[in-house]
């Protein structure tokens, strides 16, 4: 299974070393990743800097950070290092006062976002190896590790809830990371069995022409879909050429207690659909997940609250 990097975003104040790190990463990895020099964080910071309305920038940054396939590196050496670089080469946009003001905004950003699972803080110039290794480790994340990352994200979000978390993982079609024991998780076992029955029945009936059109659907049908108002609210499967695209929406997830089992079940459902459609072994699987409310149960009046 591969938890790929969508884009690697380098952030930080002027003179923090972003350009150098940009080229060093490309050189060390053979242009493995799409690297972006500044993104929504800088847009937000400079909106604050110039006293502009920040609503759009806050929402764009949140969307960017809640896509766990994005990886952020915020470069923030100590102020003495930035000040020394300024005295040696100056800056086209800043004087020392404005440079310090923007630096302080980035310090605030580190305080707010530094604990996000896809954000790395680099405090010194010798960070290349750590950055590359960190991202490589993220790309090898298991479902259990992804669950831990989402738990971390929800835990540091307002009200212990992250709204609109999304990520994509790929499998080579062998589904070797499937945890069969987790499929027997007692609190959800019957729930999972019911979803599986509905999904499999839908695909089999569509293939046989048991639908309102009395039309036998091909493997490429767009009609292989399950919807419900429970926590796992949507599952859709589209086979196209050399990929089984599986899209899942969880309207709500207790990311501490249940999410790992949900992810593992949906992973197993991809395997079941792959087998039911009799796809070749070399057909890989793309799994796209959206969690509209990734939350951690909170304690209210000495009682744990989990309104799924």
């Amino acid at each position: 299974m591969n938890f790929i990097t969508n884009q690697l975003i380098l952030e930080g104040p002027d003179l923090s070393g972003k350009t150098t790190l940009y080229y060093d990463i490309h050189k060390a990895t053979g242009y493995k990743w799409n690297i972006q020099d500044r993104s929504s964080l800088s847009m937000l910071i400079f909106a604050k800097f110039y006293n502009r309305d920040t609503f759009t920038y806050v929402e764009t940054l949140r969307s960017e950070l809640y896509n766990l396939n994005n990886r952020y590196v915020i470069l923030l050496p100590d102020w003495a290092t930035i000040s020394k670089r300024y005295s040696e080469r100056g800056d086209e946009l800043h004087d020392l006062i404005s440079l310090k003001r923007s630096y302080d905004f980035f310090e605030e950003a580190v305080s707010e976002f530094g604990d996000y699972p896809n954000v790395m803080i680099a405090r010194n110039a010798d960070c290349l190896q750590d950055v590359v290794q960190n991202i490589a480790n993220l790309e090898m994340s298991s479902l259990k590790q992804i669950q831990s990352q989402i738990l971390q994200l929800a835990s540091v979000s307002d009200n212990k809830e992250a709204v609109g978390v999304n990520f994509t993982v790929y499998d080579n079609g062998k589904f070797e990371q499937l945890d069969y024991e987790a499929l027997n998780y007692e609190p959800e076992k019957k729930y999972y069995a019911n979803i599986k029955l509905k999904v499999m029945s839908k695909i089999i009936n569509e293939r046989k022409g048991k639908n309102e059109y009395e039309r036998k659907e091909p493997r490429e049908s767009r009609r292989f879909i399950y919807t419900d108002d429970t926590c796992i609210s949507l599952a859709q499967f589209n086979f196209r050429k050399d990929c089984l695209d599986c899209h899942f929406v969880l309207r709500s997830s207790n990311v501490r207690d249940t999410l790992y089992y949900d992810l593992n079940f949906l992973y197993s459902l991809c395997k079941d659909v792959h087998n039911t459609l009799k796809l070749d072994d070399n057909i890989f699987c793309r799994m796209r997940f959206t969690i509209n409310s990734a939350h951690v149960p909170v304690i209210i009046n000495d009682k744990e609250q989990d309104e799924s």
Side-chain angles (χ1 to χ4, degrees):
M1 193 173 68
N2 194 352
F3 188 27
I4 65 169
T5 298
N6 180 24
Q7 57 182 347
L8 168 56
I9 298 165
L10 304 184
E11 280 285 8
D14 291 82
L15 304 176
S16 60
K18 297 187 302 300
T19 302
T20 299
L21 182 60
Y22 178 97
Y23 287 110
D24 286 348
I25 293 174
H26 275 323
K27 183 178 180 180
T29 64
Y31 293 85
K32 181 177 181 180
W33 298 307
N34 173 37
I35 304 176
Q36 185 168 333
D37 185 352
R38 295 193 185 279
S39 189
S40 300
L41 178 57
S42 282
M43 293 169 67
L44 173 60
I45 283 175
F46 286 102
K48 291 180 178 179
F49 189 95
Y50 293 111
N51 297 313
R52 299 171 183 150
D53 181 75
T54 61
F55 176 81
T56 299
Y57 303 110
V58 169
E59 289 302 303
T60 302
L61 177 59
R62 191 188 312 277
S63 176
E64 203 166 67
L65 286 170
Y66 279 16
N67 180 341
L68 295 182
N69 293 92
N70 292 331
R71 327 292 188 195
Y72 255 80
V73 179
I74 303 177
L75 280 78
L76 200 65
D78 59 64
W79 170 244
T81 299
I82 299 286
S83 178
K84 180 181 178 182
R85 290 174 183 169
Y86 178 82
S87 66
E88 292 172 347
R89 46 184 152 144
D91 187 82
E92 294 180 355
L93 298 175
H94 291 288
D95 58 25
L96 196 59
I97 294 174
S98 65
L99 184 61
K100 180 62 166 66
R101 185 164 174 245
S102 69
Y103 180 90
D104 290 342
F105 277 125
F106 276 100
E107 278 284 18
E108 291 177 7
V110 167
S111 298
E112 185 171 356
F113 305 116
D115 290 330
Y116 280 40
N118 53 343
V119 175
M120 180 178 178
I121 310 303
R123 292 284 188 178
N124 59 72
D126 188 24
C127 64
L128 173 63
Q129 185 174 351
D130 288 342
V131 168
V132 171
Q133 188 61 55
N134 179 273
I135 298 171
N137 289 342
L138 284 173
E139 292 194 328
M140 297 300 293
S141 295
S142 65
L143 290 176
K144 188 67 176 177
Q145 290 167 328
I146 292 173
Q147 177 261 334
S148 295
Q149 292 167 33
I150 298 171
L151 173 59
Q152 180 182 345
L153 179 61
S155 297
V156 298
S157 298
D158 294 341
N159 300 317
K160 305 290 185 182
E161 179 189 40
V163 177
V165 179
N166 62 95
F167 61 95
T168 300
V169 294
Y170 292 82
D171 191 89
N172 60 7
K174 296 181 172 58
F175 303 97
E176 294 170 331
Q177 291 197 28
L178 187 57
D179 180 355
Y180 289 94
E181 291 186 7
L183 297 177
N184 293 316
Y185 178 56
E186 195 58 41
E188 304 292 329
K189 186 176 179 180
K190 290 183 179 179
Y191 177 56
Y192 295 154
N194 183 53
I195 294 175
K196 178 179 176 179
L197 177 62
K198 290 181 178 180
V199 169
M200 294 299 108
S201 297
K202 172 69 171 175
I203 293 175
I204 291 170
N205 287 336
E206 291 290 345
R207 297 281 280 147
K208 290 181 177 180
K210 294 181 179 180
N211 53 46
E212 61 268 40
Y213 304 108
E214 297 184 354
R215 179 182 66 203
K216 293 182 178 180
E217 291 293 318
R219 293 192 299 180
E220 294 79 9
S221 173
R222 300 180 180 91
R223 294 174 56 85
F224 302 150
I225 187 168
Y226 159 88
T227 60
D228 197 64
D229 61 2
T230 56
C231 289
I232 298 175
S233 52
L234 182 143
Q236 184 172 16
F237 305 89
N238 287 314
F239 170 54
R240 296 292 182 273
K241 194 176 179 180
D242 57 355
C243 173
L244 176 63
D245 180 73
C246 309
H247 182 208
F248 303 110
V249 175
L250 284 71
R251 68 157 177 81
S252 176
S253 178
N254 176 341
V255 296
R256 187 193 66 190
D257 301 325
T258 309
L259 178 59
Y260 171 67
Y261 301 100
D262 288 347
L263 295 179
N264 191 75
F265 163 66
L266 295 174
Y267 183 50
S268 75
L269 198 57
C270 294
K271 180 181 180 180
D272 293 334
V273 172
H274 197 284
N275 292 338
T276 298
L277 293 179
K278 299 180 180 179
L279 302 181
D280 294 339
D281 291 341
N282 62 343
I283 299 299
F284 71 94
C285 183
R286 175 173 57 234
M287 292 164 276
R288 298 181 289 125
F289 295 87
T290 300
I291 307 176
N292 287 329
S293 172
H295 63 272
V296 183
V298 296
I299 304 298
I300 301 177
N301 297 329
D302 296 325
K303 292 183 179 181
E304 190 171 79
Q305 304 292 315
D306 178 24
E307 297 181 0
S308 297

